[in-house]
Amino acid sequence: MKKLFVKTYGCQMNAYDSARIADLLAPLGYGAAAAPEDADMVVLNTCHIREKAAEKVYSELGTLRALKEEKAGRGDAMLIAVAGCVAQAEGELMLQRAPVIDLLVGPQTYHRLPEMIAKVARAGGKALQTDFPALEKFDALPQAGPRGVSAFLTVQEGCDKFCTFCVVPYTRGAELSRAPGAVLAEAQALVAAGARELVLLGQNVNAYRGTAPDGKTWSLARLCAALAKIEGLARIRYTTSHPRDMADDLIAAHRDNDKLMPFLHLPVQSGSDTVLAAMNRQHRRDDYLALIARIRDSRPDIAISSDFIVGFPGETDADFEATMELVRTVKFAQTFSFKYSKRPGTPAAAALKQISEKVKDERLQALQQLLLQQQNDFNDAQIGRTLDVLFEKPGREPGQLVGRSPYLHPIHAQADASTIGKVAQVRVDVRTANSLKGVLV
Ligand code: SAM
Ligand code: SF4
């Protein structure tokens, strides 16, 4: 059997794509390798969202070049493929900068890897595919294999929003939704293979508009209602959402759909109207606050999560303070925050008033301190409560399992291995740095 090693950078959509690449190459005889050293083929599934993420790939390619040469010295071949958003953004340039690459595919063309592998085997040289063939990819992929208790399922791809800092519209292409029937079939296969939770993915997943065979358009709420009927499926989550696409039926679904978990990742990026406008987010600070109030009205215990960017070009001290103020008002459960990173080709990269690294560092530190305090407060509030935990896998200590609360906290408890894949009640006793601990009740 040949061995495949896939290394994933970046978002959950890349994690989904990596699992699909493994599904795709399994019929060609590729099984999973534990490390690149054991692999006949290495795929780097790359992320272009920030400069650091993209640069990491080149340093990994340097290491792989040495490994490939060492293997060639022993008469062993190793194919190196680069997939994902760096491949899409850089294309030919990447092949020139890193000639060790044999195959290069974008996020919409990785389904063509089998024919590209055959071409390279037959004729030698390199193969590159970086166009955007709409939904062809999903039709070409085989049935999804087993994924464990919680499985990602991409329902929507691409983005038409063109936030001025972001590369996604250029690397992932236009917004497209998969047909409800295709999503339901993949969901059923995942559940049949052991998944108890589905995490629906999309760059703007709440902009989902799937066309059914009768020509009707399904919203994400309607899709979740249909998924909730799948027997054996315990939980549904979705990410990432855009504030502009948070429709009334989805807000109501958080009240009405028992399987839809009370956790919402709804990135705001900034609390300043000036910065939000410069980012082309197309909503104002007060729109976001009003939206959060409506969501909490519908589902009072919902945990709210967000992404933030500090040091966007032109961001003043007062703009940054407006972000801090918004955070104090909303009270977030869990968040991601980043220093603005200039991305080639995006409008904000050309802005004149770039912010110094020193100021970005100071702002990020202040924001993260506040966000960590809120996260700890939210976690401390769970102590003494009994929560439903979907157990996913063994924990680090003997006899311990780890699972997730409805609010996405990792929770550790002593439990029999047969509890994996089941929802059990846990009384929370302790908060550790990043998780909770409790006992089964
Ligand atoms: N579609 C999602 C939305 O609209 O919020 C976000 C998708 S993006 C893959 C994930 C996060 O990366 C963004 O929410 C943003 O905070 C961050 N990000 C994107 N471009 C960035 C940049 N140029 N510099 C710093 N952070 C960035
Ligand atoms: Fe990027 Fe904005 Fe699209 Fe999110 S909505 S993927 S931040 S362009």
Side-chain angles (χ1 to χ4, degrees):
M1 196 209 262
K2 285 181 282 188
K3 291 278 180 72
L4 170 72
F5 185 81
V6 185
K7 180 158 181 175
T8 309
Y9 299 82
C11 66
Q12 290 139 318
M13 298 196 69
N14 267 11
Y16 172 86
D17 290 340
S18 291
R20 297 305 264 138
I21 288 171
D23 290 340
L24 184 72
L25 298 185
L28 274 67
Y30 283 97
E37 290 75 15
D38 310 324
D40 302 284
M41 177 164 174
V42 175
V43 179
L44 301 183
N45 195 7
T46 62
C47 173
H48 200 243
I49 200 85
R50 283 168 291 276
E51 196 178 355
K52 264 197 195 142
E55 280 307 314
K56 270 191 216 154
V57 177
Y58 283 101
S59 95
E60 184 68 30
L61 282 167
T63 313
L64 286 177
R65 193 183 66 185
L67 182 63
K68 188 171 175 159
E69 283 166 2
E70 187 196 312
K71 283 192 158 206
R74 283 187 267 128
D76 292 336
M78 183 166 88
L79 277 178
I80 296 182
V82 177
C85 293
V86 180
Q88 186 67 44
E90 300 194 0
E92 284 283 355
L93 270 180
M94 191 166 200
L95 288 180
Q96 286 164 21
R97 189 170 158 194
V100 68
I101 302 169
D102 299 296
L103 306 153
L104 193 126
V105 285
Q108 307 303 348
T109 44
Y110 63 76
H111 59 291
R112 295 184 186 159
L113 272 171
E115 68 196 56
M116 293 163 70
I117 293 172
K119 183 183 158 233
V120 170
R122 206 171 48 238
K126 299 186 182 297
L128 171 141
Q129 291 272 355
T130 52
D131 49 354
F132 288 117
L135 288 176
E136 175 194 303
K137 173 181 78 189
F138 290 106
D139 294 338
L141 292 172
Q143 182 163 314
R147 296 284 189 268
V149 173
S150 180
F152 292 139
L153 202 178
T154 294
V155 302
Q156 182 271 338
E157 285 247 35
C159 180
D160 296 333
K161 297 210 162 48
F162 292 94
C163 298
T164 56
F165 52 81
C166 184
V167 288
V168 168
Y170 312 97
T171 59
R172 290 246 167 201
E175 213 162 277
L176 279 171
S177 297
R178 296 178 68 188
V183 173
L184 289 168
E186 190 168 326
Q188 260 145 358
L190 288 165
V191 173
R196 304 288 322 278
E197 173 179 275
L198 293 176
V199 185
L200 309 182
L201 301 179
Q203 290 299 346
N204 286 289
V205 72
N206 60 343
Y208 177 84
R209 298 276 175 281
T211 309
D214 62 4
K216 294 224 168 81
T217 303
W218 284 34
S219 65
L220 187 64
R222 181 157 181 198
L223 185 69
C224 289
L227 287 166
K229 294 199 181 108
I230 298 179
E231 210 173 310
L233 179 65
R235 293 179 165 186
I236 303 168
R237 302 181 185 276
Y238 61 92
T239 197
T240 296
S241 296
H242 193 290
R244 273 178 58 207
D245 296 311
M246 206 62 213
D248 290 347
D249 64 344
L250 190 56
I251 295 176
H254 277 285
R255 180 191 60 216
D256 302 333
N257 185 335
D258 291 343
K259 293 190 181 177
L260 194 57
M261 290 295 101
F263 183 96
L264 178 63
H265 183 59
L266 194 66
V268 66
Q269 315 296 356
S270 168
S272 150
D273 281 340
T274 318
V275 174
L276 287 171
M279 286 177 165
N280 189 32
R281 291 291 288 180
Q282 300 191 33
H283 65 80
R284 296 167 63 90
R285 161 200 183 84
D286 285 351
D287 301 328
Y288 187 84
L289 292 174
L291 185 56
I292 296 292
R294 280 172 51 225
I295 295 163
R296 283 184 168 151
D297 244 13
S298 173
R299 179 78 203 218
D301 64 333
I302 198 162
I304 305 287
S305 153
S306 181
D307 294 341
F308 297 90
I309 295 177
V310 300
F312 184 80
E315 184 188 69
T316 61
D317 286 341
D319 292 324
F320 176 66
E321 182 46 35
T323 299
M324 295 289 276
E325 196 48 47
L326 179 134
V327 173
R328 285 184 210 108
T329 308
V330 174
K331 296 190 173 59
F332 291 93
Q334 190 213 73
T335 51
F336 301 93
S337 43
F338 313 100
K339 288 189 280 182
Y340 168 71
S341 169
K342 250 176 152 182
R343 305 313 292 127
T346 58
L352 293 176
K353 290 191 209 148
Q354 297 291 332
I355 305 296
S356 72
E357 276 307 298
K358 181 170 170 284
V359 170
K360 284 188 204 171
D361 281 332
E362 286 165 5
R363 288 180 185 165
L364 188 65
Q365 212 187 347
L367 176 63
Q368 289 188 338
Q369 202 179 344
L370 176 61
L371 291 169
L372 180 64
Q373 184 58 51
Q374 294 194 342
Q375 183 180 319
N376 288 343
D377 290 348
F378 180 71
N379 293 356
D380 283 341
Q382 312 306 319
I383 294 172
R385 283 187 72 191
T386 297
L387 299 177
D388 284 342
V389 175
L390 173 58
F391 282 100
E392 292 183 11
K393 57 187 179 195
R396 262 188 238 135
E397 291 169 23
Q400 191 188 55
L401 298 183
V402 57
R404 297 261 178 189
S405 76
Y407 312 103
L408 212 61
H409 304 97
I411 299 196
H412 295 82
Q414 292 290 322
D416 188 78
S418 62
T419 319
I420 291 177
K422 295 189 180 131
V423 177
Q425 291 202 315
V426 173
R427 197 196 63 235
V428 179
D429 293 333
V430 186
R431 167 173 70 79
T432 56
N434 295 309
S435 65
L436 300 173
K437 256 189 185 172
V439 287
L440 285 187
V441 295

